[in-house]
Amino acid sequence: MSKSFQISSVLRRVCFGVLFGLFSLAQGPVGAASPTAGQSEDPNDYVQVRNGRFLLAGKPFVIRGTNYFGSWRYRHTIDAGDGIEHHTEWAFYQDWDSANVDMDFQFIRSQLNATTVRIGTPGTATFEPLVKFHHYQPWYDAQGQINEPYRSELIKLADIAYADGIRIQFTLIWNLKQEIAKDPDSFKVGAPMDRLYSNQVTSIATALHNHPGVIGYSIGNEVLVNYEINGKHPSSYEGIAAGFIMRRLKEVRAAAPLQLLTLDEGGNGKKQWWAPEMALYMLPDVDTGNGREPVRLADHVDYLGTHFYPETLGPEDLAGGFAGKVADARQKLASYMQIARKFGKPIVLSEFGLRISPMTLSPQQYSPYRDQFWQGMMAESQALGLQGVLAWDAIPDVALVPGQYVVRESTINEYSPVEVDVNGPNHTQRRLLMVH
């Protein structure tokens, strides 16, 4: 199936994830303004958790903003040959530009009233091919410690965010799930990847430990559930993954005690054995580094960060009936919050959005329903006591100048569900494979 979109504005921003034009969570106080540079040992300069609430300098703080992987100001594709380019979320580290980051953060702050962005750091499996085939500089050294210039870039990211009134939550080792599934023994206590990533997360947390521009850290992105392995029944995978996460959380806490710890797991489980989220589930056999014991990861962090994509917008909804999905999404959130609130910790939707299928639906088609979805969910979230929402990738990765573009579902790469044909220099055609 393909669709052609006529781009008629001066600059048309296109993103194949969830864009939103509405963000109204908790319009009350969000804490003190930031100075222009960040380095402090004063706990009051950091976002803290007290009695189940976020505070900054003694005032209430609300996490609101977006996940961030750069913007249309960066080139987000790498040449795969034969006129095809693949999307990569790590381009802004390689093509570092402080001015672009500053413009992005100022845009996020002014247009979304954002206080927070969530930024990932890459794992080995996704970054090594960029080094080998696309001349990226290595992310880490032989021992696993983060290399220059990336160490300095992370500090500069925090500097810029802090000056622009934004805090960063770093998700370390983004693609961890795939790596553990491929070679679980390497992630056990003292094994090669355990040692390498121990050095890596410690080196990052040490570099940023005294920077109040960093609100906190999580380890891995949606790691605990690898559906083909343990989605329908328990396995050894979740114990290995939880043990690895626990050990890294302890190391980050030791290196950066003024900053917070959280989790980035999926919260859509309803009938699965681990429902509603495995981070809230007591896993019976986890090696924490001090022997094997039952572990519930939610007990070991400062706030709960869950990923919540409760509904999918499809062509059938354009004809009516979408209000029912909004009501269903509100019920799912209420059910999750009822369980999560028992932990007495702030709860944040660290990824949140409305899925679209097919992803080739045009913004003109889905925007009214997206806004209806956000209005209903934000009203519900405030009533339920949610303390933060980070939209999924609200800043577009690709900008298309006016013209005719063919946007279609991709059959080239299962991990790139959308492809776009565009005209390149000298009228050559490029095909971009997009992942979100």
Side-chain angles (χ1 to χ4, degrees):
M1 175 180 172
S2 67
K3 289 183 178 291
S4 296
F5 300 139
Q6 183 67 34
I7 312 299
S8 57
S9 60
V10 175
L11 178 65
R12 179 74 192 176
R13 282 180 256 135
V14 177
C15 176
F16 300 108
V18 178
L19 291 176
F20 62 98
L22 168 73
F23 204 92
S24 59
L25 176 66
Q27 293 297 326
V30 295
S34 300
T36 56
Q39 204 174 69
S40 174
E41 302 293 342
D42 183 355
N44 288 319
D45 290 336
Y46 293 79
V47 177
Q48 303 177 62
V49 173
R50 294 288 183 271
N51 299 317
R53 309 293 297 180
F54 289 120
L55 294 177
L56 176 58
K59 298 179 181 180
F61 182 87
V62 173
I63 288 181
R64 58 171 177 253
T66 181
N67 290 258
Y68 177 78
F69 296 92
S71 72
W72 67 93
R73 296 183 174 99
Y74 292 87
R75 181 186 177 97
H76 279 274
T77 59
I78 51 178
D79 189 0
D82 297 326
I84 295 174
E85 298 183 18
H86 288 276
H87 178 276
T88 174
E89 58 269 275
W90 309 119
F92 80 99
Y93 285 127
Q94 173 69 9
D95 300 324
W96 175 258
D97 189 316
S98 297
N100 283 343
V101 172
D102 191 30
M103 285 189 287
D104 285 349
F105 285 177
Q106 289 188 40
F107 175 83
I108 291 167
R109 179 67 172 159
S110 63
Q111 298 301 309
L112 304 182
N113 196 21
T115 64
T116 310
V117 294
R118 174 175 174 249
I119 297 177
T121 67
T124 301
T126 53
F127 210 77
E128 280 191 345
L130 298 174
V131 174
K132 184 176 181 180
F133 299 111
H134 301 286
H135 311 294
Y136 277 45
Q137 298 184 63
W139 183 260
Y140 55 86
D141 65 18
Q143 286 72 46
Q145 297 184 63
I146 188 170
N147 275 331
E148 294 292 350
Y150 302 119
R151 178 185 180 277
S152 295
E153 289 175 8
L154 293 181
I155 296 172
K156 189 63 177 176
L157 268 172
D159 284 343
I160 296 168
Y162 194 50
D164 290 337
I166 290 175
R167 263 64 178 179
I168 298 175
Q169 180 212 312
F170 281 107
T171 297
L172 308 180
I173 325 175
W174 188 271
N175 302 101
L176 178 61
K177 173 166 63 177
Q178 292 87 343
E179 296 187 27
I180 297 177
K182 184 177 181 179
D183 188 5
D185 288 344
S186 289
F187 289 83
K188 295 179 179 179
V189 174
M193 298 308 290
D194 187 64
R195 296 195 304 271
L196 183 142
Y197 279 132
S198 172
N199 290 333
Q200 186 170 137
V201 302
T202 300
S203 67
I204 292 174
T206 299
L208 296 166
H209 78 281
N210 60 352
H211 205 307
V214 177
I215 190 172
Y217 308 87
S218 64
I219 303 297
N221 181 65
E222 300 179 4
V223 180
L224 292 176
V225 178
N226 194 316
Y227 204 82
E228 293 183 357
I229 299 173
N230 67 343
K232 296 182 180 180
H233 52 76
S235 74
S236 62
Y237 169 86
E238 61 271 10
I240 294 171
F244 179 90
I245 292 171
M246 270 289 298
R247 298 191 296 275
R248 303 295 83 80
L249 288 173
K250 289 179 180 179
E251 291 158 357
V252 172
R253 176 71 84 199
L258 291 173
Q259 294 153 336
L260 303 177
L261 299 178
T262 188
L263 299 165
D264 274 301
E265 298 295 330
N268 291 344
K270 189 174 182 180
K271 298 180 180 179
Q272 293 86 347
W273 66 271
W274 44 267
E277 178 180 308
M278 199 176 292
L280 311 183
Y281 187 91
M282 184 67 76
L283 298 172
D285 187 24
V286 176
D287 193 340
T288 64
N290 296 312
R292 308 190 77 85
E293 58 184 287
V295 165
R296 183 168 47 200
L297 285 178
D299 295 332
H300 300 276
V301 295
D302 301 298
Y303 66 97
L304 304 180
T306 190
H307 298 183
F308 203 66
Y309 299 92
E311 300 294 336
T312 300
L313 175 70
E316 68 279 6
D317 298 309
L318 305 181
F322 186 66
K325 286 191 173 181
V326 175
D328 183 60
R330 294 175 70 169
Q331 180 56 47
K332 288 177 180 176
L333 180 60
S335 297
Y336 174 81
M337 292 291 291
Q338 183 178 14
I339 296 172
R341 279 198 303 262
K342 295 177 182 179
F343 289 84
K345 301 180 180 187
I347 303 167
V348 175
L349 304 185
S350 52
E351 282 188 22
F352 176 64
L354 174 65
R355 297 189 187 276
I356 298 170
S357 180
M359 295 180 75
T360 49
L361 286 177
S362 72
Q364 291 85 350
Q365 290 175 298
Y366 69 70
S367 293
Y369 301 93
R370 173 204 62 198
D371 293 349
Q372 178 186 350
F373 175 75
W374 272 87
Q375 286 171 340
M377 294 301 291
M378 290 304 97
E380 184 73 12
S381 68
Q382 294 181 73
L384 294 171
L386 197 71
Q387 293 190 52
V389 174
L390 297 175
W392 173 248
D393 204 14
I395 306 303
D397 292 344
V398 176
L400 301 179
V401 296
Q404 185 80 17
Y405 301 89
V406 177
V407 181
R408 64 169 64 86
E409 296 175 67
S410 180
T411 59
I412 299 176
N413 185 337
E414 63 178 318
Y415 301 108
S416 302
V418 174
E419 62 188 46
V420 189
D421 287 345
V422 301
N423 287 326
N426 302 319
H427 304 289
T428 58
Q429 191 171 77
R430 297 184 294 130
R431 178 164 293 175
L432 313 184
L433 301 185
M434 308 301 296
V435 295
H436 45 281

